[in-house]
């Protein structure tokens, strides 16, 4: 029997999990309860779990196979599974001058790859006293919230995902150099079928989805902007206030999330660490998988390092 308690955060997404110490090996009952909550609620939160890097890695391995810290931007020293989510980092392309829209900054992790990560496991270490909250949205609820007519349209569409700085972002040579070292571009269905739940989700990562296949640019942009605005409607989202030692685990196949931009308006530091798990190639409603245009799949960390000769 598991002693875990699941407390939902909102109607559609997010739940806090209590009654477990993630620094210790999980019982089979606890592992099963955690994984089911992960599938049911899309993102789950744990309070007061002061893990170090090694414990973070061990816990991640109980849920799946870790990838290299970040397929494009690398990893922390001595822990190839761990990626530093610092206030200022290479992947951050924040610019106050760029146009801000309702969906600006929202993304699903590394959708430019043929097999985006299955899950992300994010651990808070240095947290500002206020500000710096993270948002997630339920892409299955967003899909179900479309009209039957619109679902019929998007079910058959596919889009191009790639890494590139957002329009209006400041020039960032470090970002550009990292992307050039490992170019990733993939054609994904706009609606994917979850490999475990069978649910359909609107796979429309605003930061990485650039165009709809077979459409004129204006047609593509108009439809994408409508879908992006719809996908981040407040009723599909949850907002999480971090404390040091907190952890969030989200299903990267059925969510998008928004990192905070308010921290750049303060002097507070913010440091979190993330591990991602190897994912599957998405499949559309018609049973057709995604197609790689550039780059290779994201591999388990041991395979990645062996191929790199690290």
């Amino acid at each position: 029997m598991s002693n875990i308690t699941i407390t939902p955060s909102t109607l559609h997404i997010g739940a806090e999990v209590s009654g477990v110490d993630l620094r210790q090996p999980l019982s089979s009952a606890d592992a099963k309860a955690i994984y089911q909550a992960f599938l049911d609620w899309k993102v789950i939160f744990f309070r007061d779990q002061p893990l170090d890097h090694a414990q973070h890695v061990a816990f991640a391995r109980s849920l799946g196979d870790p990838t290299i810290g970040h397929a494009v931007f690398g990893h922390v020293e001595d822990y190839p599974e761990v990626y530093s989510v610092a206030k200022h980092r290479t992947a951050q392309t924040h610019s106050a001058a760029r146009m801000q829209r309702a969906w600006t900054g929202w993304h699903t992790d590394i959708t430019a790859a043929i097999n985006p990560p299955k899950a992300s496991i994010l651990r808070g270490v240095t947290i500002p006293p206020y500000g710096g909250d993270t948002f997630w949205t339920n892409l299955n609820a967003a899909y179900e919230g479309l009209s039957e007519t619109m679902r019929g349209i998007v079910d058959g569409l596919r889009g191009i995902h790639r890494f590139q700085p957002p329009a209006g972002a400041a020039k960032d040579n470090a970002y550009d150099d990292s992307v050039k070292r490992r170019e990733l571009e993939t054609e994904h269905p706009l609606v994917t079928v979850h490999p475990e739940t069978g649910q359909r989700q609107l796979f429309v990562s605003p930061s990485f989805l650039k165009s709809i296949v077979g459409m004129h640019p204006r047609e593509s942009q108009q439809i994408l902007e409508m879908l992006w605005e719809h996908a981040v409607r407040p009723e599909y989202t949850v907002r999480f206030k971090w404390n040091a030692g907190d952890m969030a685990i989200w299903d990267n196949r059925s969510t998008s999330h928004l990192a905070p931009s308010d921290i750049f308006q303060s002097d507070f530091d913010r440091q979190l660490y993330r591990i991602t798990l190897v994912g599957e190639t998405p499949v559309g409603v018609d049973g057709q998988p995604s197609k790689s245009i550039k780059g290779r799949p994201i591999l388990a960390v041991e395979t990645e390092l062996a191929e790199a000769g690290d």
Side-chain angles (χ1 to χ4, degrees), residues 64-295:
D65 295 323
T67 71
I68 203 80
H70 192 293
V72 174
F73 301 112
H75 56 82
V76 303
E77 187 176 0
D78 297 329
Y79 290 91
E81 304 92 344
V82 181
Y83 174 60
S84 170
V85 181
K87 180 176 178 178
H88 297 286
R89 60 189 189 274
T90 302
Q92 183 68 52
T93 55
H94 172 77
S95 171
R98 64 190 263 217
M99 183 177 293
Q100 301 292 312
R101 295 175 174 170
W103 56 87
T104 298
W106 282 88
H107 64 285
T108 299
D109 285 333
I110 321 182
T111 59
I114 183 67
N115 62 328
K118 163 185 171 178
S120 293
I121 306 166
L122 186 62
R123 169 173 57 100
V125 176
T126 303
I127 303 298
Y130 47 87
D133 299 354
T134 306
F135 294 76
W136 287 264
T137 192
N138 181 339
L139 297 178
N140 167 249
Y143 174 79
E144 295 294 340
L146 294 171
S147 68
E148 183 178 353
T149 299
M150 183 54 70
R151 291 198 301 269
I153 292 171
V154 296
D155 279 351
L157 298 178
R158 297 172 73 91
I160 304 299
H161 297 240
R162 75 172 70 91
F163 270 105
Q164 67 185 47
K171 179 67 175 176
D172 188 335
N173 292 329
Y175 182 99
D176 292 346
D177 290 345
S178 295
V179 170
K180 287 175 183 176
R181 282 195 295 270
R182 185 163 184 180
E183 291 186 292
L184 293 171
E185 184 175 351
T186 298
E187 177 189 301
H188 291 299
L190 256 62
V191 178
T192 58
V193 178
H194 196 285
E196 295 184 82
T197 67
Q199 293 177 333
R200 296 181 182 184
Q201 47 269 318
L202 203 53
F203 202 64
V204 291
S205 176
S207 294
F208 301 128
L209 175 54
K210 304 305 178 183
S211 63
I212 298 176
V213 174
M215 287 191 173
H216 296 309
R218 179 169 171 77
E219 296 171 339
S220 172
Q221 191 66 20
Q222 291 295 311
I223 291 177
L224 288 179
E225 290 190 0
M226 182 274 292
L227 294 176
W228 290 333
E229 183 177 43
H230 172 77
V232 301
R233 283 169 51 171
E235 60 264 41
Y236 304 141
T237 70
V238 64
R239 178 175 184 162
F240 186 62
K241 171 68 178 77
W242 291 93
N243 295 307
D246 291 347
M247 181 174 287
I249 307 172
W250 64 93
D251 191 332
N252 198 56
R253 303 163 295 188
S254 57
T255 64
S256 282
H257 58 280
L258 177 66
S261 59
D262 59 350
I263 55 173
F264 297 101
Q265 300 163 27
S266 78
D267 294 327
F268 300 135
D269 194 11
R270 187 176 185 270
Q271 176 68 64
L272 301 93
Y273 293 97
R274 191 193 73 189
I275 296 176
T276 55
L277 304 180
V278 176
E280 314 88 347
T281 298
V283 174
V285 173
D286 59 2
Q288 295 301 306
S290 302
K291 299 177 182 177
S292 178
I293 298 171
K294 290 182 181 179

